[in-house]
Amino acid sequence: MSPVHGDRHSGPTRRTLFTAGVGAALLAGCARGGAPGAPAAASSSSAAAAGGGLTPGAMTLFKDPAYNFNGLLALGASGAGAAEVGEVLTAVNAINGAGLTAQSYVKTFRSLGDRLVAAPPGAPADSQTRRFRALRAAQYYGQALFFVLGSNDPGSEEQLYRAGRAAWDIFCNLCEPAPVKANVPYGTTPLPVWFFRPDTSGTPRPTVILTNGSDGQNVDMWTYGVAAALERGWNALVYDGPGQGQLLFVDRVVFTPTWERVVTPLVDWLTARSDVNSSKIALTGLSMGGDLAPRAAAFETRIAALVAMPGCVEPWLGFPPEIRKILTPDEQQTNDIWNKEVVPELPPEAAAVLKKRFEPFSAAAMLQARQGKLFTDFYTPASRIQAMSITNVVGRIKAPTLVLDYEGEQFYPGQPRRLYDALTSPKDYLKLTAAQGAQLHCSPMAPQLHCEVVFDWLDKTLGS
């Protein structure tokens, strides 16, 4: 990366770039579970793809591509019981009727979550009704959580996370059997885990560790793995790592580039259990997890199979080049450029996106965002994101690996193929397409198809 010097002559150029379209590029790349921003080389095409093009007709819930992508994720979760088509479409209509803003989106989905955790109308709810109402509530709270920093109540972020987490825990407690809950040692802040089993027979089973992305919630792991695993006789482990869930929003522990230090304690915990076949432990990574999981597998040799969904080798490339150029080798120079030249000209919508995208990498940025402020230290979180690159360790991976790609991939274009090409282990590459209804990052409209592809490959690879 070429340094950008903070001379006064370079300022207007950066300002012009921001006012001319970086805000739109950032907004096009703002999606739950996605990369930190729009792709560098394809921001305009990705906006078109997310808003039209690859989402024609009824697939366009909102004209804004960021909100549309999130709405599609909610709608797609219906197949796993983690949303209801009528509830989502009614919420979409209400938001559009009120005028699409972060405030209307947050208010509508939060109210829907509140309604579902309350007693339903009519006869008293049985355990299955309460269970799946809680799961859907977790989904809708997650939808609201993603945009809350851009609303008029950013300080409610932790409260909103806790509401979604409480709904998730209600759902888990009502599962049969309920998942085993534990805290796995990790530094000074343990990792909360939920270990799902098909039954309590104690039979050793193949087990998948499900790794979330930079802003997904536990409910997304149900949609993208847990339900499919249980249906196939697998165990599934869901966890919050640094920069995710409880560790981020409550404990204020941000992402680490050494993800093997996160996964190895999970494997230790699993291999100590008699109901886990320790020779058949798979690891998947959804969204930015497609960078985290391969990093872990490069060092944790007990991983028997790896799936990157999609493959990612450099999360920093998920930001537009105008953002990346702010980062120089010098901390003071970088922050001077950010605070004196960029921030004064940054559109409010783009500022909201950057608050969201940077918070998993900086507790200070998160706390400032909750106060309605934009972070002042650009250098620290940007350097952390840059350090997430795995280009120099991919060759260490020994486990058979499936790399997924998506037609219209709007966050990591080209990176799945880069990961695949760099692998030296047994490997497969598969692109899901618009003809299958599985286009866009993580196939938001086709998570069932997504899981079929992943678990068919795992079954073939591990012989389970």
Side-chain angles (χ1 to χ4, degrees), residues 363-388:
M366 179 177 69
L367 295 177
Q368 286 175 298
R370 290 177 178 179
Q371 297 171 1
K373 302 174 183 178
L374 188 59
F375 53 91
T376 54
D377 178 9
F378 182 95
Y379 180 86
T380 300
S383 297
R384 286 175 179 156
I385 301 168
Q386 190 179 56
M388 303 297 288

Side-chain angles (χ1 to χ4, degrees), residues 61-62 71 74 84-98 100 104-105 107-113 115 140 143:
L61 308 177
F62 301 106
E84 179 78 290
V85 171
E87 290 170 349
V88 174
L89 293 181
T90 299
V92 168
N93 285 342
I95 293 165
N96 283 327
L100 175 62
S104 64
Y105 198 96
K107 179 180 179 181
T108 301
F109 275 107
R110 183 171 194 167
S111 296
L112 183 51
R115 186 165 79 240
Y140 303 143
Q143 287 286 325

